[in-house]
Amino acid sequence: MRHRVETTKLQEIENPHHTSSGSEDVFHYTAQWWQKIEPKPVQHLATHARRRQPVSMIRLKPLPDDVAILDQSHVFRGARLILGYVAEHGAIPLTPSKAFKRVFVNWAAEAFVWPHWTVADLYSVNKVLNEYDFGPLEVLHHLLIDLKLGRHYKGTFRLTKVGQGLVKKPKDLFEILVPFFLFNVNHGYYSRFEHEPFRDWGAGLNVLNIEAENGVSLGEFCAALYGPVTRDREQQWRVESELYTGILRPLCWAGLLDEHRSRVGGLGDNIYQKTALWPVLFALQTDGRVRPAVRH
């Protein structure tokens, strides 16, 4: 029998659910809606000023010294690659709208090897790559500015003194970047229809700690978090959409969940499973109730 963690009802949002006939169509849809987002000032990305601790009462474990484990976080690895690039090659040229120029976007797409945002994925829907075509890079650019690890100066992106000091301190970079990305960023900013930030992180993580051990779908996670479905279909889609953009996708980008995309279904058919980084980072109330996954 599945365990349940009680929480308050999720706020309703206007974000219709999407289904797809295949994994390639899922990426096409993702890329298309990402490109329709109107650019906004980068300071709107963060919901709170910079903090050393997450906004919610979630205990994080001391980080290991093994950078290979931390590199499972796509957000961390991408940021580390950007800092390393600037340290080695100098400032990154910007467009008049203060986005990274295409030469760097191409380099980042090849270097990051970001799941579902690979070079092949990106060029399947774009003839050339701009920063806004590569969603994770756009988010990282904003994060580094928000955290004051980088700055814009005379048409270039440069590292601040703090950013320069973190080039060879990966643990410190992870500690600053990943919790901020998860808990201080309004992930609804990057949904197709902007919505309020997800606020039930404590309940959400504790439910996923149990349900995602062996894999959970979006619908199963929603039912485990909020109980049996009593909403109409449209309302259910909206709730599930906020769960995806507000918690599941950020955890995937942070390297804490793997997203196994369905080849024949839509977003609701994808399966999410905890990665090896999850128990390294989180200490949760439900740890004692987790039944170890069966690995084949």
Side-chain angles (χ1 to χ4, degrees):
M1 181 178 68
R2 292 178 181 269
H3 300 284
R4 298 285 182 260
V5 177
E6 295 183 356
T7 186
T8 58
K9 182 180 178 181
L10 185 67
Q11 295 177 345
E12 294 181 14
I13 59 168
E14 294 185 358
N15 187 0
H17 189 68
H18 172 75
T19 57
S20 161
S21 59
S23 58
E24 183 175 340
D25 291 337
V26 171
F27 175 78
H28 282 214
Y29 173 77
T30 302
Q32 287 166 4
W33 69 247
W34 194 282
Q35 293 171 12
K36 292 178 182 177
I37 296 173
E38 182 179 353
K40 303 174 186 177
V42 298
Q43 63 265 27
H44 288 280
L45 184 64
T47 59
H48 302 274
R50 178 182 173 186
R51 300 178 181 179
R52 292 289 293 180
Q53 297 296 329
V55 296
S56 49
M57 299 300 292
I58 298 168
R59 188 162 62 90
L60 304 180
K61 296 179 181 178
L63 297 177
D65 294 324
D66 189 353
V67 177
I69 295 176
L70 302 182
D71 261 346
Q72 295 179 50
S73 169
H74 311 299
V75 168
F76 165 71
R77 183 172 180 273
R80 194 160 70 88
L81 287 169
I82 293 174
L83 266 60
Y85 181 97
V86 177
E88 181 177 354
H89 301 285
I92 301 171
L94 300 174
T95 67
S97 61
K98 296 185 178 181
F100 290 136
K101 286 193 172 181
R102 290 174 181 172
V103 171
F104 180 76
V105 176
N106 278 277
W107 176 88
E110 294 179 358
F112 287 6
V113 196
W114 200 291
H116 313 302
W117 294 86
T118 65
V119 172
D121 291 328
L122 291 166
Y123 276 111
S124 70
V125 293
N126 300 285
K127 292 183 179 180
V128 296
L129 291 184
N130 297 296
E131 181 184 299
Y132 60 79
D133 298 317
F134 188 11
L137 178 61
E138 185 178 29
V139 170
L140 281 170
H141 188 174
H142 291 186
L143 276 174
L144 294 175
I145 295 294
D146 277 342
L147 286 168
K148 302 188 185 304
L149 305 184
R151 65 189 180 103
H152 295 157
Y153 181 73
K154 292 186 177 181
T156 63
F157 173 87
R158 305 185 180 197
L159 300 184
T160 63
K161 289 184 178 180
V162 176
Q164 293 171 12
L166 293 173
V167 171
K168 295 184 178 181
K169 295 180 178 179
K171 285 178 61 176
D172 290 347
L173 175 62
F174 189 103
E175 183 186 29
I176 291 171
L177 183 80
V178 175
F180 183 91
F181 167 71
L182 287 174
F183 306 118
N184 289 68
V185 165
N186 177 9
H187 299 287
Y189 173 96
Y190 282 107
S191 65
R192 189 179 186 187
F193 299 99
E194 186 174 352
H195 57 72
E196 289 297 311
F198 182 79
R199 302 192 185 279
D200 290 334
W201 274 98
L205 289 177
N206 275 288
V207 167
L208 285 170
N209 196 33
I210 297 171
E211 304 293 335
E213 179 70 14
N214 288 285
V216 66
S217 69
L218 176 57
E220 290 170 341
F221 173 45
C222 186
L225 186 61
Y226 298 117
V229 176
T230 58
R231 314 168 188 88
D232 60 37
R233 184 174 177 81
E234 182 179 356
Q235 187 182 39
Q236 182 68 14
W237 285 347
R238 293 173 180 175
V239 171
E240 290 182 358
S241 294
E242 181 165 331
L243 284 179
Y244 175 73
T245 58
I247 184 168
L248 290 178
R249 186 173 64 192
L251 287 169
C252 290
W253 284 20
L256 294 158
L257 290 179
D258 276 333
E259 181 182 25
H260 304 285
R261 292 193 172 181
S262 170
R263 293 183 177 274
V264 295
L267 185 64
D269 297 303
N270 299 341
I271 299 297
Y272 302 89
Q273 190 168 19
K274 288 154 52 177
T275 68
L277 185 60
W278 181 288
V280 171
L281 186 62
F282 290 135
L284 299 169
Q285 292 177 337
T286 52
D287 282 344
R289 296 159 60 185
V290 176
R291 297 178 181 177
V294 177
R295 310 294 185 190
H296 298 286

